[in-house]
Amino acid sequence: MGYRVRKRLALVILLVGLPFYIGAVWGIMGALDRPPIWVEFLVYVGLGFLWMLPFRFIFRGIGRADPDAPPAQDD
């Protein structure tokens, strides 16, 4: 997968997928009985890290310069 495709896919995941995931977690946690606050905090922190595990490959190196771009000429 090329750098530009990964960069666009990362943007779609952050703008569409992440709000959907937050809404789903919020709805599921709202449907359950409220656990103690420390358990609820641990669940939210754990799920906050869980969403990004499948997308590690896509987000890796996105903030760096395009490795496929031709080198810039200094004239």
Side-chain angles (χ1 to χ4, degrees):
M1 190 178 313
Y3 177 79
R4 294 183 77 191
V5 173
R6 284 191 5 239
K7 195 165 189 170
R8 288 182 181 146
L9 190 57
L11 186 62
V12 168
I13 290 169
L14 288 175
L15 293 177
V16 177
L18 186 57
F20 177 76
Y21 180 77
I22 290 171
V25 168
W26 187 21
I28 291 170
M29 289 299 291
L32 301 175
D33 290 335
R34 186 153 189 182
I37 192 73
W38 64 273
V39 173
E40 188 174 3
F41 176 75
L42 290 176
V43 167
Y44 281 121
V45 168
L47 291 173
F49 283 106
L50 183 67
W51 77 269
M52 66 182 137
L53 289 178
F55 304 118
R56 279 190 332 197
F57 170 74
I58 294 170
F59 289 113
R60 187 168 297 174
I62 291 297
R64 297 183 184 155
D66 186 357
D68 301 329
Q73 294 180 349
D74 294 332
D75 288 326

